[in-house]
């Protein structure tokens, strides 16, 4: 529930593209890595807030398959922050009952980060509160390709009939298998694109873009996104 707005429908699944850390830092004549640090602090705060609103699944885009193209220093700073925050999550999300899961190709990360990812998932596996998908080294096209390859193997090895494959069979082979599709995707930093985020799952998602930069996106900004979501007329292809 959103404080002061008990009438609002709370989306079951919200995705967030956390954009604008670099610009936030530039505006303050600081290195981009400082923007990421403030962005990471905000990640923790807003996640906790959203978990109390009734959202069932929250997917946050932390690092895309394309983000490796950034400078070595920036990628390094981000990896350092991920480690710091994954250590923090191990202690701090316990009381919040948030179930953390990582989506994306983790095999590209160093051993220490992979261990932290696994420890977090292991520790959170029996929690029943909000599911938090952290998308790291995630790219939707790779995810769809992975699902297609799985199905091809099933055709080859298990006699699956290609004509019987349904859209739900593809959904069931994505990282988000079994989860509701996102109702709402929020993008901070003003851009109007999905940038390879949840492409298959977002067929009927409402997109909300705000100029607010990620480190400045606070509780009230999330509330505004929910109010805007409630003003949309979702038809799912009908009339
Ligand atoms: C986009 O801003 C942001 C990222 C590529 C990194 C997002 C990561 C965090 C917020 C860290 C928190 C995550 C965890 C798991 C602790 P940008 O650099 O593209 O900004 P710009 O568009 O202004 O350049």
């Amino acid at each position: 529930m959103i404080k002061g707005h008990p009438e609002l429908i709370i989306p079951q699944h919200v995705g967030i593209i956390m954009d604008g850390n670099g610009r936030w830092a530039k505006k303050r004549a600081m290195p981009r890595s400082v923007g990421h640090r403030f962005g990471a602090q905000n990640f923790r705060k807003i996640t906790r807030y959203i978990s109390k609103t009734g959202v069932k699944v929250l997917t946050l885009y932390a690092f895309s398959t394309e983000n490796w193209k950034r400078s070595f220093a920036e990628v390094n700073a981000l990896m350092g922050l991920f480690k710091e925050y994954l250590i923090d999550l191990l202690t701090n999300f316990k009381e919040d009952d948030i179930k953390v899961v990582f989506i994306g190709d983790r095999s590209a990360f160093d051993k220490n980060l992979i261990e932290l990812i696994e420890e977090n998932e292991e520790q959170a596996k029996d929690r029943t509160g909000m599911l938090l998908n952290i998308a790291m080294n995630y790219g939707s096209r790779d995810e769809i390709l992975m699902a297609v390859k799985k199905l091809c193997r099933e055709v080859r090895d298990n006699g699956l009939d290609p004509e019987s494959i349904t859209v739900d069979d593809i959904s069931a082979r994505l990282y988000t298998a079994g989860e509701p599709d996102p109702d709402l995707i929020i993008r901070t930093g003003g851009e109007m694109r999905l940038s390879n985020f949840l492409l298959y799952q977002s067929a009927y998602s409402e997109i909300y873009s705000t100029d607010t930069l990620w480190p400045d996106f606070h509780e009230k900004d999330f509330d505004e996104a929910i109010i805007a979501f409630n003003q949309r007329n979702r038809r799912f292809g009908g009339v």
Side-chain angles (χ1 to χ4, degrees):
M1 191 176 85
I2 300 294
K3 213 168 152 200
H5 292 279
E7 77 289 359
L8 292 179
I9 292 171
I10 303 296
Q12 280 204 74
H13 184 171
V14 177
I16 306 186
I17 303 174
M18 308 181 283
D19 198 12
N21 294 343
R23 277 166 284 164
W24 186 92
K26 197 171 166 206
K27 268 172 53 181
R28 291 162 179 79
M30 293 193 291
R32 294 177 59 81
S33 59
V34 176
H36 292 313
R37 177 161 292 280
F38 277 85
Q41 276 172 22
N42 197 41
F43 153 90
R44 192 173 67 176
K45 208 165 81 166
I46 203 85
T47 298
R48 182 164 285 155
Y49 175 70
I50 294 173
S51 76
K52 297 192 172 111
T53 61
V55 166
K56 299 272 181 293
V57 184
L58 174 65
T59 303
L60 295 179
Y61 205 6
F63 194 84
S64 77
T65 45
E66 286 70 38
N67 285 152
W68 298 105
K69 292 183 203 149
R70 296 186 175 204
S71 74
F72 178 75
E74 184 169 348
V75 170
N76 232 7
L78 277 168
M79 294 300 144
L81 268 179
F82 292 151
K83 285 180 195 168
E84 218 177 281
Y85 273 81
L86 294 204
I87 292 169
D88 178 73
L89 292 192
L90 279 173
T91 41
N92 278 319
F93 275 4
K94 263 188 196 154
E95 314 92 73
D96 294 283
D97 195 29
I98 294 171
K99 182 170 172 154
V100 198
V101 165
F102 294 82
I103 64 172
D105 178 11
R106 64 186 67 177
S107 70
F109 296 126
D110 73 31
K111 192 165 160 280
N112 182 222
L113 185 50
I114 296 174
E115 278 168 9
L116 283 169
I117 287 175
E118 287 170 353
E119 258 181 83
N120 263 287
E121 285 181 337
E122 174 58 28
Q123 194 189 64
K125 71 178 189 320
D126 297 324
R127 293 187 197 149
T128 52
M130 184 183 78
L131 173 65
L132 170 64
N133 290 315
I134 304 182
M136 278 173 48
N137 196 27
Y138 171 87
S140 208
R141 287 181 165 181
D142 276 357
E143 179 187 35
I144 295 167
L145 177 63
M146 176 188 79
V148 169
K149 284 184 179 171
K150 277 186 194 162
L151 284 165
C152 289
R153 282 194 291 270
E154 290 172 44
V155 168
R156 186 191 61 197
D157 302 335
N158 309 341
L160 175 68
D161 175 6
E163 300 309 322
S164 73
I165 298 171
T166 63
V167 288
D168 290 340
D169 290 329
I170 298 178
S171 296
R173 285 156 185 82
L174 301 174
Y175 291 117
T176 51
E179 298 169 19
D181 283 338
D183 305 288
L184 171 66
I185 294 189
I186 299 173
R187 180 166 188 148
T188 62
E191 307 288 359
M192 299 279 193
R193 52 176 172 265
L194 285 172
S195 300
N196 209 7
F197 183 57
L198 303 178
L199 299 183
Y200 194 83
Q201 298 89 330
S202 65
Y204 290 104
S205 303
E206 295 298 328
I207 314 288
Y208 176 84
S209 173
T210 168
D211 287 337
T212 304
L213 304 173
W214 174 252
D216 290 330
F217 186 86
H218 301 306
E219 283 87 343
K220 74 163 187 23
D221 302 286
F222 181 77
D223 294 355
E224 277 169 25
I226 299 300
I227 292 168
F229 170 78
N230 274 261
Q231 286 158 356
R232 304 282 175 92
N233 176 11
R234 302 186 80 198
R235 291 189 296 278
F236 299 95
V239 284

